[in-house]
Amino acid sequence: MTQELSASARRVQEALQSLGMDLQVVELPDSTRSAVEAAQAVGCQVGQIVKSLVFKGKRSQRPILAAVSGANRVDERRLEALIGEPLGKADADFVREQTGFAIGGVPPVGHIQKLETIIDEDLFQYQEIWAAAGTPHAVFRLTPDELAKMTGGVVAAIKQI
Ligand code: 5CA
């Protein structure tokens, strides 16, 4: 039985379909707004949650997406070295303008433009991971390889140690 998805979650489901990925967005009664909440809601480890964090190139003003294990914090210096310019924090308005989604539900794909993406290598220690799907109640399950394929992202060591 298919429950009807909210508009933002449906956009993510459609993006997955158009990328040729056979993955199912689910909307849960419990909040998935943070990585900890999402892990509780789906019953997995926090590290298996993909945080989709938006940064802003200080020179180019372009958005950069970091897909990070929920257990980790990003080392911005490492990210800057990979991107090749200094990065600033994206505020909530910038995130919405550049991705089409509000913080708490930003997915790794389905944005209003293609975002250059860096993927935390630590996600590859898991067979399956979960990412946000447009709202603070929507997620989808995928593999790290699927994440790499759908984003075209570079896999790198980007966590703070
Ligand atoms: N749905 C969950 C799990 S998939 C989720 O979206 N988690 S998240 O970590 O990817 O998104 C929350 C992140 O948004 C926080 O880690 C933080 O980096 C960022 N954030 C939260 N509030 C703000 C804010 N006011 N301005 C900019 N970034 C923010």
Side-chain angles (χ1 to χ4, degrees):
M1 196 179 79
T2 310
Q3 294 242 318
E4 200 163 306
L5 296 174
S6 65
S8 292
R10 200 163 58 237
R11 274 196 282 145
V12 178
Q13 182 68 78
E14 285 165 2
L16 293 171
Q17 260 145 24
S18 51
L19 287 162
M21 314 287 313
D22 184 20
L23 298 168
Q24 198 66 47
V25 171
V26 289
E27 270 182 316
L28 302 170
D30 290 343
S31 171
T32 59
R33 182 178 298 278
S34 69
V36 169
E37 286 177 335
Q40 279 166 0
V42 303
C44 70
Q45 295 179 50
V46 178
Q48 286 174 273
I49 300 297
V50 183
K51 299 193 284 192
S52 297
L53 304 179
V54 180
F55 292 84
K56 183 180 188 176
K58 276 189 180 158
R59 278 199 295 269
S60 64
Q61 302 293 296
R62 72 191 163 122
I64 304 294
L65 187 74
V68 185
S69 165
N72 294 341
R73 291 181 61 85
V74 173
D75 183 332
E76 283 187 42
R77 301 290 92 77
R78 287 177 163 198
L79 204 54
E80 287 171 344
L82 290 159
I83 295 299
E85 69 172 308
L87 295 173
K89 287 263 182 322
D91 67 20
D93 288 341
F94 183 80
V95 173
R96 189 189 280 275
E97 284 160 19
Q98 301 292 329
T99 70
F101 296 96
I103 282 169
V106 177
V109 290
H111 311 124
I112 51 188
Q113 60 186 317
K114 185 142 175 70
L115 301 190
E116 183 169 346
T117 303
I118 309 289
I119 301 172
D120 180 356
E121 64 179 6
D122 281 10
L123 288 166
F124 281 78
Q125 68 192 286
Y126 304 106
Q127 285 192 350
E128 44 179 57
I129 54 179
W130 292 80
T135 84
H137 288 272
V139 287
F140 64 100
R141 186 175 58 195
L142 71 170
T143 66
D145 283 332
E146 285 168 335
L147 179 65
K149 184 166 171 236
M150 72 174 70
T151 60
V154 171
V155 179
I158 53 171
K159 73 163 178 273
Q160 273 180 24
I161 44 178

